[in-house]
Amino acid sequence: MTNLFKGLEEFGLGNLSKKIEIYEEKNETDTKQSLLKKPVPITEEEVLFEKTFNCPVCGNDFKSKMVKSGKVKLLTQDTDLRPVFQHVDPLKYDAVVCPRCGYAALNRFFKYLTDTQISLIKSTISASFKGLSGSGDTLSYDEAITRHKLALVNSIVKKSKTSERAYICLKTAWVIRGKIENLSTEEETSENQMAIKNLQKEEEEFIQKAYEGFNEAILKEAFPMCRMDESTVSLLIADLARRTHKYEEASRWLSKILVSRNSNERIKEKAREIKDLMRESLSKNE
Ligand SMILES: [Zn+2]
């Protein structure tokens, strides 16, 4: 298993990341984008704005780049619900990091901390956080991946709900997939191919962690989970199982969705799509 938290050393959190597990040992997309009729901007800078955040841990006001809603056109959605947009990848900007104290979370979870969580973050993260290096006009994939990992470490330290950790794992996998797709458009050098291979492995590990987390969360948390209803989470788990080659598990979830009165036709359609993909990979393996 590779160290999923590599890259955090620059924040002074290298030691911490070596020791922690995402979930306790055995014993959680709606990026609905209104499609605008206006011409779609094509550069990343054009769709970004600086949003001011107030850090719930240290009180610092800071600016973080965010994507203007409605400025990016949704092209498609992967079977694990990852939205794919035209020209830019807004998913890179979803992890918000306080540059002063190291508190990080996905945008949707950023404001919400209890007093206990604040002190846990202060003593475990802020105490060793070395500061965030300044970034340019846009975030590189590497910067985005590192920020997501920092959000994951924070979620573990603050003992967040399992679903939140699972959701950050999923979103980290999505940013890594974005990087892979980006690299795939470049020239095919052996260096490039090697980088893609390593990233694919890393993506799969985050998918596996997301799968484990949602599987556990579904047993002990109420819906909606990370703003997803039960049939959406079931669909997600089915696809995460497929992506990690747990086909029987995936089939069980898909059958459940297809017979359920609670799943709408859109979800059922996606379930059939996943079923077809699975049949394809099974026939390839024969
Ligand atoms: Zn702070």
Side-chain angles (χ1 to χ4, degrees):
M1 173 85 73
T2 54
N3 178 6
L4 296 182
F5 296 105
K6 70 174 188 287
L8 292 182
E9 297 81 3
E10 62 181 277
F11 302 121
L13 299 172
N15 274 336
L16 174 68
S17 66
K18 269 177 219 145
K19 289 182 289 193
I20 52 176
E21 290 294 329
I22 299 176
Y23 308 113
E24 288 88 7
E25 280 185 44
K26 273 282 171 277
N27 303 356
E28 173 180 337
T29 311
D30 50 3
T31 14
K32 280 178 203 136
Q33 295 292 343
S34 49
L35 301 180
L36 290 189
K37 300 263 164 20
K38 280 184 252 169
V40 178
I42 46 169
T43 67
E44 201 157 314
E45 287 90 336
E46 282 179 284
V47 301
L48 298 176
F49 74 105
E50 299 261 6
K51 184 176 169 184
T52 303
F53 287 86
N54 176 261
C55 176
V57 174
C58 72
N60 177 33
D61 282 328
F62 66 93
K63 287 185 161 62
S64 187
K65 291 181 185 73
M66 302 292 289
V67 175
K68 296 175 192 156
S69 59
K71 282 285 182 192
V72 281
K73 186 179 172 188
L74 180 67
L75 286 179
T76 175
Q77 196 183 39
D78 290 347
T79 43
D80 63 356
L81 311 175
R82 168 189 171 239
V84 180
F85 297 89
Q86 193 173 34
H87 307 305
V88 288
D89 186 357
L91 300 180
K92 288 196 290 182
Y93 296 90
D94 209 27
V96 181
V97 182
C98 171
R100 189 199 276 170
C101 74
Y103 168 55
L106 295 183
N107 186 19
R108 71 172 58 172
F109 302 120
F110 193 80
K111 289 195 277 206
Y112 311 103
L113 285 180
T114 63
D115 290 344
T116 311
Q117 290 176 322
I118 291 173
S119 50
L120 283 169
I121 290 166
K122 278 186 176 160
S123 62
T124 318
I125 305 275
S126 311
S128 31
F129 184 65
K130 286 187 191 153
L132 193 62
S133 52
S135 67
D137 293 339
T138 60
L139 278 185
S140 69
Y141 270 108
D142 286 339
E143 286 171 314
I145 292 167
T146 310
R147 283 166 186 246
H148 277 75
K149 290 179 180 180
L150 192 55
L152 182 57
V153 169
N154 269 269
S155 70
I156 302 164
V157 166
K158 73 178 185 193
K159 304 186 194 309
S160 75
K161 282 184 178 174
T162 304
S163 57
E164 181 178 334
R165 299 181 213 186
Y167 196 63
I168 303 172
C169 288
L170 178 68
K171 300 216 65 167
T172 309
W174 290 354
V175 180
I176 294 171
R177 196 180 306 157
K179 184 177 177 187
I180 294 170
E181 288 171 0
N182 200 268
L183 279 174
S184 308
T185 60
E186 290 174 13
E187 201 192 338
E188 259 189 54
T189 60
S190 59
E191 220 171 59
N192 207 339
Q193 295 299 99
M194 187 55 92
I196 290 175
K197 231 177 126 185
N198 288 335
L199 285 164
Q200 282 168 334
K201 210 174 142 222
E202 197 177 11
E203 182 198 332
E204 192 171 319
E205 286 182 29
F206 276 103
I207 290 287
Q208 169 66 27
K209 289 292 174 194
Y211 168 79
E212 285 170 24
F214 280 116
N215 240 321
E216 195 181 318
I218 210 162
L219 299 172
K220 57 182 190 187
E221 293 180 30
F223 293 98
M225 197 179 279
C226 302
R227 299 188 191 158
M228 296 183 284
D229 63 12
E230 188 169 356
S231 52
T232 308
V233 175
S234 302
L235 184 82
L236 180 60
I237 295 177
D239 194 56
L240 298 177
R242 177 189 68 84
R243 284 172 187 266
T244 48
H245 318 288
K246 291 179 259 300
Y247 296 135
E248 274 180 37
E249 195 66 30
S251 294
R252 247 197 319 274
W253 282 103
L254 293 171
S255 312
K256 226 171 113 180
I257 296 162
L258 290 166
V259 298
S260 167
R261 280 188 205 149
N262 294 325
S263 340
N264 60 39
E265 200 40 50
R266 191 181 58 87
I267 295 277
K268 288 187 177 176
E269 189 48 52
K270 285 190 175 294
R272 283 188 283 266
E273 197 186 318
I274 296 168
K275 221 174 170 170
D276 289 345
L277 283 171
M278 211 154 67
R279 206 174 287 135
E280 267 173 45
S281 38
L282 281 170
S283 62
K284 263 186 232 157
N285 291 338
E286 266 166 14

